[in-house]
Amino acid sequence: MSTTISDSPGQTMHAAHGWRDMPDARGHFGPYGGRFVAETLMAPLDELSKAYEAARNDPSFMAALDTDLADYVGRPTPIYHAERLSARVGGAQIWFKREDLNHTGAHKINNTIGQALLASRMGKTRIIAETGAGQHGVATATVAARLGLECVVFMGSEDMRRQSTNVYRMRLLGAEVRPVESGSRTLKDAMNDALRDWVAHVDDTFYIIGTVAGPHPYPAMVRDFQAVIGRESRRQMLERCDRLPDALVACVGGGSNAIGLFYPFLDDEQVAIYGVEAGGDGVQTGRHAAPLAAGRSGVLHGNRTYLMQDENGQISATHSVSAGLDYPGVGPEHSWLKDLGRATYVDVTDAEALDAFHECTRIEGIMPALESAHAVAYAKKLAATMSPDQIILVNMSGRGDKDMGSVAEAAGETL
Amino acid sequence: MSRLAERFKALREAGRTALIPYLTAGDPHPDATVDYMHTLVAAGADVVELGVPFTDPMADGPVIQAACERALVHGTSLRNVLDMVERFRQDNVDTPVVLMGYLNPIDAMGLDAFSARAAEAGVDGVLIVDMTAEETPEIVPTLKQYALDPVCLIAPTTGESRMARICENAGGFIYYVSFKGVTGSASLDTSTLAEHVGHIRAASALPVAVGFGIRTPENAADVSRVADAVVVGSALVAQIAEYGEDRTAAQAALRATLGGMRSAIDTQDQNRQEARRA
């Protein structure tokens, strides 16, 4: 088998049955994904699929997107060799893909720019979104402000408390933040309410889902918009190190930053792939948000995927110090990659993530989002088992400024 | 002939419109539901629709979401709901019961196990909100194999070709969602209803029920002009929420609310028959 590496991933390997051929025409990643929604949404989802297919094949749309990613988002983001962290761990070289340097401070805007341009193209005047940590809400409110679109962001009241700065940012950007008081008052409930709003306003409203979940075409569309992370990383690694990394590490809540990094590397089978779920208090305690580690297949939010659920099929409460990972499901493509063994899913606890947050902050001067700190925590463990001539690329998916309250609270301090 | 088919045949012969109340099973407590079902039948229900509580009822508005939460506090499971139907059947063998719910609890129980137990308990129809024929082709044949009618939704956004496919699969009756929204939210617009129901009648011989947004006796009477059945949910569930554990008061309120709709529909049905005779 040829292992020639080119800038175009997968060109020489598995062309016939590549890892990147999914989903099928109806949004299936093996047994996962699909479209499980109330009848009212079937026609709007068909309309969205058609509009997206047309847009992605339209050079003028893609050119507009590329221009925005460069001039507005600030892409390409660099890759950075975390030399002091690597030396301290004493194993593989740890590099960061600096998505924290994007406009609004996280990878989320890669997707909201794309979907908002699509919304405008479809003639929609109103944007809605769900948000957990608030990063997707801020990224949505930002592009809505720029394009002059009305914007409503649904956010669990518990998350609004944890992420009050982001709530204020969204309001400054002109968005209405609508508190969600149902269920666990977190991300999954915000998604329920956004879907309910969409059903009632399908004529003028575009729903910008923030992760690679939801009914088809969302998991594929959000992946495509986020795949810029992996495409850049692959090229940058070849330029800087003349080789691909030995391993990729990214945190997984819904999993959009992870799939964005992983996807362009899927056919590079020599690259190991690790997704890091939120272990909360530890998976064995039941207080966590790690459906790939401890869940089973089910249907929620329009797609089939691994879910945290009880024996009666009721969705379980989740726990993570990181609001952005506090979700009982996961993108269907991750479920499929897990079953096929192409990616390995692991988990780290709140305490390990907080330790990694502090260490990365103190010795690299980079304050990771608590979500990204999960990836850093696992990368440290993994690096220690590898040799210094090997490379791990970690997706630094967002900056930690939004988490000052949570970090202080965990340390028993008040701001 | 299924219990639903028999009931609709008898209603059609009598020139009457069916009234279908909805309750969330287990709200406010699992041991109240069977009594409430009998109360609804006594107040004029032709079919009882029983909601299976789910943590994430994404097609339901705040009233039914809250009902689901109240039922889940007591751990009401799909198996419990099927037991309730079995108990209801001990005293009522002719009122059809339709389960309405979301796919995941059925998925967790297993489609075959669920269908077998539902048939045994005396369930007549099953409406799975987030099931589509494209996604889960095995569901409709399995339900039919156990003589359960697959009740299907049609929405204002449903196009012609999908409508034909849905009607091909459906059994019992077609449930037309009267507006774009979740349960219990907007108020009903009857102006375009006749046209939509007409499209469905052209595609299917099954009775057409209309639901979502029916709150008052006037709404119910308006809908009965064009539909074969009127579904009312949130207006009843709101009464259960209001009276909580005062079950006597809750039952009185259910009787009054449903009874008012029954009278309004009956008057409308009689007027129509008289107009026809004249």
Side-chain angles (χ1 to χ4, degrees), chain A residues 346-376:
Chain A
V346 296
D347 46 86
V348 307
T349 63
D350 286 354
E352 290 171 317
L354 283 161
D355 280 351
F357 169 90
H358 287 293
E359 187 173 8
C360 188
T361 300
R362 290 297 293 271
I363 69 166
E364 292 292 348
I366 292 173
M367 211 175 269
L370 284 178
E371 291 79 11
S372 322
H374 284 73
V376 175

PDB file of all heavy atoms in Angstrom, chain A residues 346-376:
ATOM      1  N   VAL A 346     -11.977   8.825  24.429  1.00  0.00           N
ATOM      2  CA  VAL A 346     -11.502   8.699  25.804  1.00  0.00           C
ATOM      3  C   VAL A 346     -12.197   9.791  26.613  1.00  0.00           C
ATOM      4  O   VAL A 346     -12.958  10.593  26.065  1.00  0.00           O
ATOM      5  CB  VAL A 346      -9.970   8.871  25.855  1.00  0.00           C
ATOM      6  CG1 VAL A 346      -9.281   7.759  25.087  1.00  0.00           C
ATOM      7  CG2 VAL A 346      -9.561  10.235  25.295  1.00  0.00           C
ATOM      8  N   ASP A 347     -11.973   9.794  27.914  1.00  0.00           N
ATOM      9  CA  ASP A 347     -12.588  10.842  28.713  1.00  0.00           C
ATOM     10  C   ASP A 347     -11.625  11.331  29.771  1.00  0.00           C
ATOM     11  O   ASP A 347     -10.753  10.576  30.205  1.00  0.00           O
ATOM     12  CB  ASP A 347     -13.885  10.324  29.360  1.00  0.00           C
ATOM     13  CG  ASP A 347     -13.702   8.957  29.980  1.00  0.00           C
ATOM     14  OD1 ASP A 347     -13.272   8.905  31.149  1.00  0.00           O
ATOM     15  OD2 ASP A 347     -13.965   7.940  29.292  1.00  0.00           O
ATOM     16  N   VAL A 348     -11.748  12.581  30.144  1.00  0.00           N
ATOM     17  CA  VAL A 348     -10.975  13.107  31.270  1.00  0.00           C
ATOM     18  C   VAL A 348     -11.942  13.804  32.217  1.00  0.00           C
ATOM     19  O   VAL A 348     -12.998  14.292  31.800  1.00  0.00           O
ATOM     20  CB  VAL A 348      -9.846  14.081  30.842  1.00  0.00           C
ATOM     21  CG1 VAL A 348      -8.952  13.466  29.787  1.00  0.00           C
ATOM     22  CG2 VAL A 348     -10.397  15.397  30.370  1.00  0.00           C
ATOM     23  N   THR A 349     -11.585  13.826  33.486  1.00  0.00           N
ATOM     24  CA  THR A 349     -12.480  14.361  34.510  1.00  0.00           C
ATOM     25  C   THR A 349     -12.396  15.887  34.568  1.00  0.00           C
ATOM     26  O   THR A 349     -11.462  16.503  34.042  1.00  0.00           O
ATOM     27  CB  THR A 349     -12.122  13.808  35.899  1.00  0.00           C
ATOM     28  OG1 THR A 349     -10.796  14.256  36.213  1.00  0.00           O
ATOM     29  CG2 THR A 349     -12.180  12.274  35.910  1.00  0.00           C
ATOM     30  N   ASP A 350     -13.366  16.467  35.269  1.00  0.00           N
ATOM     31  CA  ASP A 350     -13.335  17.906  35.544  1.00  0.00           C
ATOM     32  C   ASP A 350     -11.996  18.301  36.161  1.00  0.00           C
ATOM     33  O   ASP A 350     -11.384  19.301  35.763  1.00  0.00           O
ATOM     34  CB  ASP A 350     -14.433  18.273  36.571  1.00  0.00           C
ATOM     35  CG  ASP A 350     -15.838  18.269  35.987  1.00  0.00           C
ATOM     36  OD1 ASP A 350     -15.979  18.087  34.764  1.00  0.00           O
ATOM     37  OD2 ASP A 350     -16.788  18.437  36.777  1.00  0.00           O
ATOM     38  N   ALA A 351     -11.559  17.522  37.155  1.00  0.00           N
ATOM     39  CA  ALA A 351     -10.338  17.875  37.889  1.00  0.00           C
ATOM     40  C   ALA A 351      -9.122  17.852  36.963  1.00  0.00           C
ATOM     41  O   ALA A 351      -8.268  18.751  37.012  1.00  0.00           O
ATOM     42  CB  ALA A 351     -10.136  16.908  39.064  1.00  0.00           C
ATOM     43  N   GLU A 352      -9.055  16.831  36.095  1.00  0.00           N
ATOM     44  CA  GLU A 352      -7.921  16.755  35.159  1.00  0.00           C
ATOM     45  C   GLU A 352      -7.943  17.927  34.169  1.00  0.00           C
ATOM     46  O   GLU A 352      -6.891  18.488  33.833  1.00  0.00           O
ATOM     47  CB  GLU A 352      -7.979  15.427  34.380  1.00  0.00           C
ATOM     48  CG  GLU A 352      -7.680  14.205  35.224  1.00  0.00           C
ATOM     49  CD  GLU A 352      -7.961  12.896  34.481  1.00  0.00           C
ATOM     50  OE1 GLU A 352      -9.007  12.781  33.792  1.00  0.00           O
ATOM     51  OE2 GLU A 352      -7.132  11.982  34.600  1.00  0.00           O
ATOM     52  N   ALA A 353      -9.156  18.287  33.735  1.00  0.00           N
ATOM     53  CA  ALA A 353      -9.271  19.407  32.791  1.00  0.00           C
ATOM     54  C   ALA A 353      -8.854  20.715  33.462  1.00  0.00           C
ATOM     55  O   ALA A 353      -8.161  21.545  32.864  1.00  0.00           O
ATOM     56  CB  ALA A 353     -10.692  19.497  32.255  1.00  0.00           C
ATOM     57  N   LEU A 354      -9.267  20.902  34.710  1.00  0.00           N
ATOM     58  CA  LEU A 354      -8.894  22.125  35.432  1.00  0.00           C
ATOM     59  C   LEU A 354      -7.383  22.183  35.655  1.00  0.00           C
ATOM     60  O   LEU A 354      -6.763  23.239  35.500  1.00  0.00           O
ATOM     61  CB  LEU A 354      -9.639  22.192  36.766  1.00  0.00           C
ATOM     62  CG  LEU A 354     -11.116  22.625  36.650  1.00  0.00           C
ATOM     63  CD1 LEU A 354     -11.903  22.234  37.898  1.00  0.00           C
ATOM     64  CD2 LEU A 354     -11.228  24.129  36.388  1.00  0.00           C
ATOM     65  N   ASP A 355      -6.775  21.051  35.986  1.00  0.00           N
ATOM     66  CA  ASP A 355      -5.314  21.007  36.142  1.00  0.00           C
ATOM     67  C   ASP A 355      -4.628  21.410  34.837  1.00  0.00           C
ATOM     68  O   ASP A 355      -3.671  22.193  34.839  1.00  0.00           O
ATOM     69  CB  ASP A 355      -4.853  19.581  36.495  1.00  0.00           C
ATOM     70  CG  ASP A 355      -5.062  19.283  37.976  1.00  0.00           C
ATOM     71  OD1 ASP A 355      -5.396  20.232  38.732  1.00  0.00           O
ATOM     72  OD2 ASP A 355      -4.914  18.108  38.359  1.00  0.00           O
ATOM     73  N   ALA A 356      -5.135  20.864  33.739  1.00  0.00           N
ATOM     74  CA  ALA A 356      -4.535  21.182  32.436  1.00  0.00           C
ATOM     75  C   ALA A 356      -4.726  22.660  32.100  1.00  0.00           C
ATOM     76  O   ALA A 356      -3.839  23.298  31.527  1.00  0.00           O
ATOM     77  CB  ALA A 356      -5.148  20.300  31.350  1.00  0.00           C
ATOM     78  N   PHE A 357      -5.881  23.190  32.458  1.00  0.00           N
ATOM     79  CA  PHE A 357      -6.138  24.617  32.240  1.00  0.00           C
ATOM     80  C   PHE A 357      -5.051  25.436  32.933  1.00  0.00           C
ATOM     81  O   PHE A 357      -4.430  26.317  32.329  1.00  0.00           O
ATOM     82  CB  PHE A 357      -7.525  24.990  32.794  1.00  0.00           C
ATOM     83  CG  PHE A 357      -7.768  26.475  32.857  1.00  0.00           C
ATOM     84  CD1 PHE A 357      -8.337  27.143  31.777  1.00  0.00           C
ATOM     85  CD2 PHE A 357      -7.411  27.217  33.989  1.00  0.00           C
ATOM     86  CE1 PHE A 357      -8.542  28.516  31.821  1.00  0.00           C
ATOM     87  CE2 PHE A 357      -7.618  28.587  34.039  1.00  0.00           C
ATOM     88  CZ  PHE A 357      -8.178  29.238  32.952  1.00  0.00           C
ATOM     89  N   HIS A 358      -4.823  25.156  34.219  1.00  0.00           N
ATOM     90  CA  HIS A 358      -3.841  25.944  34.987  1.00  0.00           C
ATOM     91  C   HIS A 358      -2.430  25.760  34.447  1.00  0.00           C
ATOM     92  O   HIS A 358      -1.673  26.718  34.308  1.00  0.00           O
ATOM     93  CB  HIS A 358      -3.913  25.559  36.466  1.00  0.00           C
ATOM     94  CG  HIS A 358      -5.144  26.085  37.145  1.00  0.00           C
ATOM     95  ND1 HIS A 358      -5.373  27.431  37.350  1.00  0.00           N
ATOM     96  CD2 HIS A 358      -6.238  25.454  37.638  1.00  0.00           C
ATOM     97  CE1 HIS A 358      -6.541  27.609  37.962  1.00  0.00           C
ATOM     98  NE2 HIS A 358      -7.095  26.422  38.139  1.00  0.00           N
ATOM     99  N   GLU A 359      -2.077  24.522  34.128  1.00  0.00           N
ATOM    100  CA  GLU A 359      -0.720  24.243  33.659  1.00  0.00           C
ATOM    101  C   GLU A 359      -0.453  24.950  32.326  1.00  0.00           C
ATOM    102  O   GLU A 359       0.582  25.596  32.148  1.00  0.00           O
ATOM    103  CB  GLU A 359      -0.525  22.728  33.519  1.00  0.00           C
ATOM    104  CG  GLU A 359       0.917  22.356  33.205  1.00  0.00           C
ATOM    105  CD  GLU A 359       1.148  20.857  33.231  1.00  0.00           C
ATOM    106  OE1 GLU A 359       0.162  20.095  33.346  1.00  0.00           O
ATOM    107  OE2 GLU A 359       2.324  20.450  33.111  1.00  0.00           O
ATOM    108  N   CYS A 360      -1.406  24.834  31.426  1.00  0.00           N
ATOM    109  CA  CYS A 360      -1.236  25.450  30.102  1.00  0.00           C
ATOM    110  C   CYS A 360      -1.155  26.973  30.232  1.00  0.00           C
ATOM    111  O   CYS A 360      -0.357  27.634  29.566  1.00  0.00           O
ATOM    112  CB  CYS A 360      -2.418  25.033  29.216  1.00  0.00           C
ATOM    113  SG  CYS A 360      -2.249  25.517  27.503  1.00  0.00           S
ATOM    114  N   THR A 361      -1.967  27.504  31.126  1.00  0.00           N
ATOM    115  CA  THR A 361      -1.974  28.947  31.348  1.00  0.00           C
ATOM    116  C   THR A 361      -0.631  29.412  31.898  1.00  0.00           C
ATOM    117  O   THR A 361      -0.054  30.394  31.417  1.00  0.00           O
ATOM    118  CB  THR A 361      -3.101  29.316  32.328  1.00  0.00           C
ATOM    119  OG1 THR A 361      -4.355  28.906  31.753  1.00  0.00           O
ATOM    120  CG2 THR A 361      -3.152  30.810  32.598  1.00  0.00           C
ATOM    121  N   ARG A 362      -0.101  28.673  32.883  1.00  0.00           N
ATOM    122  CA  ARG A 362       1.119  29.118  33.567  1.00  0.00           C
ATOM    123  C   ARG A 362       2.383  28.888  32.766  1.00  0.00           C
ATOM    124  O   ARG A 362       3.312  29.692  32.851  1.00  0.00           O
ATOM    125  CB  ARG A 362       1.239  28.408  34.929  1.00  0.00           C
ATOM    126  CG  ARG A 362       0.198  28.867  35.937  1.00  0.00           C
ATOM    127  CD  ARG A 362       0.338  30.346  36.282  1.00  0.00           C
ATOM    128  NE  ARG A 362       1.575  30.601  36.993  1.00  0.00           N
ATOM    129  CZ  ARG A 362       1.700  30.546  38.313  1.00  0.00           C
ATOM    130  NH1 ARG A 362       0.646  30.279  39.057  1.00  0.00           N
ATOM    131  NH2 ARG A 362       2.862  30.775  38.887  1.00  0.00           N
ATOM    132  N   ILE A 363       2.437  27.807  31.991  1.00  0.00           N
ATOM    133  CA  ILE A 363       3.722  27.567  31.335  1.00  0.00           C
ATOM    134  C   ILE A 363       3.729  27.866  29.842  1.00  0.00           C
ATOM    135  O   ILE A 363       4.783  27.974  29.233  1.00  0.00           O
ATOM    136  CB  ILE A 363       4.273  26.150  31.599  1.00  0.00           C
ATOM    137  CG1 ILE A 363       3.432  25.102  30.912  1.00  0.00           C
ATOM    138  CG2 ILE A 363       4.397  25.854  33.084  1.00  0.00           C
ATOM    139  CD1 ILE A 363       4.140  23.777  30.885  1.00  0.00           C
ATOM    140  N   GLU A 364       2.553  28.005  29.250  1.00  0.00           N
ATOM    141  CA  GLU A 364       2.524  28.403  27.835  1.00  0.00           C
ATOM    142  C   GLU A 364       1.947  29.798  27.641  1.00  0.00           C
ATOM    143  O   GLU A 364       2.016  30.353  26.541  1.00  0.00           O
ATOM    144  CB  GLU A 364       1.718  27.402  26.990  1.00  0.00           C
ATOM    145  CG  GLU A 364       2.380  26.029  26.852  1.00  0.00           C
ATOM    146  CD  GLU A 364       3.666  26.052  26.021  1.00  0.00           C
ATOM    147  OE1 GLU A 364       3.941  27.068  25.367  1.00  0.00           O
ATOM    148  OE2 GLU A 364       4.407  25.044  26.046  1.00  0.00           O
ATOM    149  N   GLY A 365       1.321  30.352  28.674  1.00  0.00           N
ATOM    150  CA  GLY A 365       0.698  31.658  28.529  1.00  0.00           C
ATOM    151  C   GLY A 365      -0.503  31.599  27.596  1.00  0.00           C
ATOM    152  O   GLY A 365      -0.876  32.587  26.970  1.00  0.00           O
ATOM    153  N   ILE A 366      -1.079  30.435  27.501  1.00  0.00           N
ATOM    154  CA  ILE A 366      -2.289  30.269  26.685  1.00  0.00           C
ATOM    155  C   ILE A 366      -3.374  29.720  27.609  1.00  0.00           C
ATOM    156  O   ILE A 366      -3.205  28.664  28.215  1.00  0.00           O
ATOM    157  CB  ILE A 366      -2.060  29.292  25.508  1.00  0.00           C
ATOM    158  CG1 ILE A 366      -1.088  29.908  24.502  1.00  0.00           C
ATOM    159  CG2 ILE A 366      -3.392  28.956  24.828  1.00  0.00           C
ATOM    160  CD1 ILE A 366      -0.681  28.949  23.389  1.00  0.00           C
ATOM    161  N   MET A 367      -4.461  30.498  27.710  1.00  0.00           N
ATOM    162  CA  MET A 367      -5.534  30.132  28.612  1.00  0.00           C
ATOM    163  C   MET A 367      -6.604  29.404  27.798  1.00  0.00           C
ATOM    164  O   MET A 367      -7.324  30.035  27.031  1.00  0.00           O
ATOM    165  CB  MET A 367      -6.105  31.426  29.198  1.00  0.00           C
ATOM    166  CG  MET A 367      -6.655  31.295  30.578  1.00  0.00           C
ATOM    167  SD  MET A 367      -7.150  32.926  31.176  1.00  0.00           S
ATOM    168  CE  MET A 367      -5.658  33.476  31.966  1.00  0.00           C
ATOM    169  N   PRO A 368      -6.667  28.078  27.911  1.00  0.00           N
ATOM    170  CA  PRO A 368      -7.626  27.357  27.062  1.00  0.00           C
ATOM    171  C   PRO A 368      -9.057  27.447  27.601  1.00  0.00           C
ATOM    172  O   PRO A 368      -9.243  27.571  28.818  1.00  0.00           O
ATOM    173  CB  PRO A 368      -7.132  25.906  27.121  1.00  0.00           C
ATOM    174  CG  PRO A 368      -6.397  25.808  28.416  1.00  0.00           C
ATOM    175  CD  PRO A 368      -5.894  27.177  28.775  1.00  0.00           C
ATOM    176  N   ALA A 369     -10.014  27.386  26.719  1.00  0.00           N
ATOM    177  CA  ALA A 369     -11.391  27.184  27.169  1.00  0.00           C
ATOM    178  C   ALA A 369     -11.427  25.877  27.952  1.00  0.00           C
ATOM    179  O   ALA A 369     -10.638  24.968  27.686  1.00  0.00           O
ATOM    180  CB  ALA A 369     -12.321  27.092  25.966  1.00  0.00           C
ATOM    181  N   LEU A 370     -12.340  25.751  28.912  1.00  0.00           N
ATOM    182  CA  LEU A 370     -12.396  24.503  29.692  1.00  0.00           C
ATOM    183  C   LEU A 370     -12.681  23.306  28.789  1.00  0.00           C
ATOM    184  O   LEU A 370     -12.240  22.194  29.072  1.00  0.00           O
ATOM    185  CB  LEU A 370     -13.453  24.606  30.797  1.00  0.00           C
ATOM    186  CG  LEU A 370     -13.032  25.462  31.999  1.00  0.00           C
ATOM    187  CD1 LEU A 370     -14.163  25.539  33.022  1.00  0.00           C
ATOM    188  CD2 LEU A 370     -11.764  24.923  32.652  1.00  0.00           C
ATOM    189  N   GLU A 371     -13.400  23.534  27.686  1.00  0.00           N
ATOM    190  CA  GLU A 371     -13.636  22.460  26.719  1.00  0.00           C
ATOM    191  C   GLU A 371     -12.291  21.980  26.171  1.00  0.00           C
ATOM    192  O   GLU A 371     -11.951  20.803  26.225  1.00  0.00           O
ATOM    193  CB  GLU A 371     -14.521  22.960  25.561  1.00  0.00           C
ATOM    194  CG  GLU A 371     -15.969  23.265  25.940  1.00  0.00           C
ATOM    195  CD  GLU A 371     -16.150  24.610  26.644  1.00  0.00           C
ATOM    196  OE1 GLU A 371     -15.198  25.419  26.666  1.00  0.00           O
ATOM    197  OE2 GLU A 371     -17.255  24.836  27.194  1.00  0.00           O
ATOM    198  N   SER A 372     -11.511  22.954  25.659  1.00  0.00           N
ATOM    199  CA  SER A 372     -10.209  22.623  25.059  1.00  0.00           C
ATOM    200  C   SER A 372      -9.241  22.059  26.096  1.00  0.00           C
ATOM    201  O   SER A 372      -8.361  21.251  25.757  1.00  0.00           O
ATOM    202  CB  SER A 372      -9.594  23.870  24.414  1.00  0.00           C
ATOM    203  OG  SER A 372     -10.581  24.664  23.791  1.00  0.00           O
ATOM    204  N   ALA A 373      -9.404  22.466  27.346  1.00  0.00           N
ATOM    205  CA  ALA A 373      -8.526  21.962  28.412  1.00  0.00           C
ATOM    206  C   ALA A 373      -8.673  20.448  28.564  1.00  0.00           C
ATOM    207  O   ALA A 373      -7.733  19.763  28.979  1.00  0.00           O
ATOM    208  CB  ALA A 373      -8.837  22.663  29.738  1.00  0.00           C
ATOM    209  N   HIS A 374      -9.854  19.907  28.213  1.00  0.00           N
ATOM    210  CA  HIS A 374     -10.014  18.446  28.223  1.00  0.00           C
ATOM    211  C   HIS A 374      -9.064  17.799  27.212  1.00  0.00           C
ATOM    212  O   HIS A 374      -8.478  16.753  27.478  1.00  0.00           O
ATOM    213  CB  HIS A 374     -11.459  18.057  27.881  1.00  0.00           C
ATOM    214  CG  HIS A 374     -12.430  18.266  29.004  1.00  0.00           C
ATOM    215  ND1 HIS A 374     -12.851  19.506  29.408  1.00  0.00           N
ATOM    216  CD2 HIS A 374     -13.075  17.379  29.810  1.00  0.00           C
ATOM    217  CE1 HIS A 374     -13.707  19.376  30.417  1.00  0.00           C
ATOM    218  NE2 HIS A 374     -13.863  18.102  30.674  1.00  0.00           N
ATOM    219  N   ALA A 375      -8.936  18.432  26.045  1.00  0.00           N
ATOM    220  CA  ALA A 375      -8.040  17.889  25.014  1.00  0.00           C
ATOM    221  C   ALA A 375      -6.587  17.986  25.473  1.00  0.00           C
ATOM    222  O   ALA A 375      -5.799  17.053  25.292  1.00  0.00           O
ATOM    223  CB  ALA A 375      -8.249  18.633  23.693  1.00  0.00           C
ATOM    224  N   VAL A 376      -6.233  19.117  26.083  1.00  0.00           N
ATOM    225  CA  VAL A 376      -4.862  19.293  26.576  1.00  0.00           C
ATOM    226  C   VAL A 376      -4.551  18.228  27.632  1.00  0.00           C
ATOM    227  O   VAL A 376      -3.469  17.619  27.632  1.00  0.00           O
ATOM    228  CB  VAL A 376      -4.669  20.714  27.160  1.00  0.00           C
ATOM    229  CG1 VAL A 376      -3.274  20.852  27.774  1.00  0.00           C
ATOM    230  CG2 VAL A 376      -4.895  21.775  26.077  1.00  0.00           C
TER     231      VAL A 376
END
